[in-house]
Amino acid sequence: MTQVILETKRLTKEFRGFTAVNEVNLQIQRGHIHALIGPNGAGKTTCFNLLTKFLNPTSGQILFNGRDITADKPAQIARQGIIRSFQISAVFPHMTVLENVRIGLQRALGSSFHFWKSNASLNRLNDRAMDLLAQVDLTEFAQTMTVDLPYGRKRALEIATTLAMEPEMMLLDEPTQGMGHEDVHRVTELIKKVSAGRTILMVEHNMKVVSGICDRISVLQRGAILAEGSYAEVAENPQVMEAYMGSTSAELEGAHA
């Protein structure tokens, strides 16, 4: 099996004459944590939406495990093992933490939202659900209503719900956005923990998160790849420093120090 799990070839997206993503060639290595970073307006979100099939490209190709998935729908790529977290795994606030993970397991079994099933039938999923909660340090919150969870714990629950789908590749959209320092550290450690045996692609603004856990980084600017490599390599790239400017370049230097 090839080491490249996800690849794009000249991936391009235009909106009424504006090129948001411009002939992007990406190669995501199997088993890596790979980050997409870049200044505001660089095209990260558009690129991410193309990869997760929430947008269709104007031109170019997307390959997963060597198969062309350019024309596939989000549900089709989910069945192949590409799961977008924090999007399709949105939690149900007025269900317990355990019930949310159980819904994720039902999705994986193809029996989504069979709320009319007997409790005995659904309870058979409890052991696996509790195992997933243990992986993200939420065992003690199993019977807590999700609406009552702190923000960082909700993100951990979203990871557990995503894991219930048994992804081969997880795509994380700003996993630490809006978090305090303690929650950022907790979720970063969780991402590192759940990356064992799978590939993760993430869009992330927090450079300390990126520097701490990512194997490879692609820097976008004006819709094109500006630089690619390890964190140390991109942090020392003069073009990257110039693209970020001001406070964000200081973040790059600070995280690298």
Side-chain angles (χ1 to χ4, degrees):
M1 188 177 288
T2 175
Q3 283 302 105
V4 176
I5 186 170
L6 185 74
E7 181 178 11
T8 69
K9 296 182 178 180
R10 302 183 70 178
L11 191 65
T12 299
K13 181 63 178 179
E14 296 175 356
F15 295 100
R16 297 180 181 177
F18 170 70
T19 303
V21 173
N22 187 13
E23 297 197 351
V24 165
N25 296 310
L26 278 175
Q27 287 194 335
I28 312 300
Q29 297 290 316
R30 192 178 308 278
H32 276 194
I33 301 178
H34 193 124
L36 281 179
I37 69 169
N40 289 336
K44 302 182 302 294
T45 299
T46 302
C47 188
F48 201 76
N49 284 332
L50 290 169
L51 296 177
T52 53
K53 307 321 315 285
F54 285 80
L55 283 175
N56 290 318
T58 304
S59 61
Q61 277 185 301
I62 305 169
L63 305 173
F64 179 62
N65 282 328
R67 179 183 176 277
D68 192 330
I69 62 167
T70 312
D72 287 1
K73 304 295 184 190
Q76 291 174 299
I77 67 165
R79 284 193 291 270
Q80 293 179 58
I82 304 177
I83 307 295
R84 178 176 182 166
S85 188
F86 313 138
Q87 199 62 343
I88 65 167
S89 62
V91 296
F92 296 90
H94 298 293
M95 298 177 72
T96 67
V97 168
L98 177 65
E99 287 167 339
N100 266 281
V101 178
R102 208 161 58 181
I103 290 296
L105 290 169
Q106 284 181 263
R107 286 176 174 173
L109 293 171
S111 55
S112 305
F113 311 118
H114 285 188
F115 296 113
W116 58 88
K117 284 194 170 186
S118 69
N119 281 337
S121 173
L122 292 179
N123 284 341
R124 283 199 285 271
L125 298 174
N126 282 355
D127 287 348
R128 175 59 179 152
M130 289 301 296
D131 177 56
L132 289 167
L133 290 179
Q135 289 185 44
V136 299
D137 303 322
L138 286 178
T139 303
E140 64 185 283
F141 297 96
Q143 298 306 323
T144 301
M145 295 299 288
T146 301
V147 70
D148 296 326
L149 280 181
Y151 182 67
R153 299 288 188 179
K154 282 192 177 80
R155 282 295 170 95
L157 175 56
E158 288 169 336
I159 290 177
T161 308
T162 305
L163 290 175
M165 298 288 290
E166 299 187 357
E168 184 177 355
M169 182 172 186
M170 294 173 67
L171 294 103
L172 309 182
D173 190 4
E174 299 282 6
T176 66
Q177 187 176 35
M179 290 184 184
H181 176 74
E182 184 180 335
D183 282 337
V184 167
H185 177 73
R186 180 184 294 116
V187 170
T188 301
E189 289 301 306
L190 283 180
I191 291 169
K192 209 154 60 171
K193 182 178 176 183
V194 304
S195 68
R198 55 179 60 88
T199 306
I200 293 177
L201 175 65
M202 59 195 288
V203 170
E204 179 55 67
H205 276 104
N206 189 319
M207 292 299 104
K208 288 189 177 179
V209 171
V210 170
S211 68
I213 65 173
C214 291
D215 299 292
R216 193 165 182 83
I217 296 161
S218 298
V219 185
L220 291 179
Q221 184 186 31
R222 299 190 184 93
I225 292 182
L226 177 65
E228 200 167 64
S230 67
Y231 183 83
E233 289 168 334
V234 300
E236 293 170 359
N237 186 308
Q239 289 178 297
V240 173
M241 299 297 288
E242 184 181 350
Y244 268 83
M245 303 291 288
S247 61
T248 312
S249 66
E251 280 184 35
L252 278 167
E253 291 173 333
H256 183 49

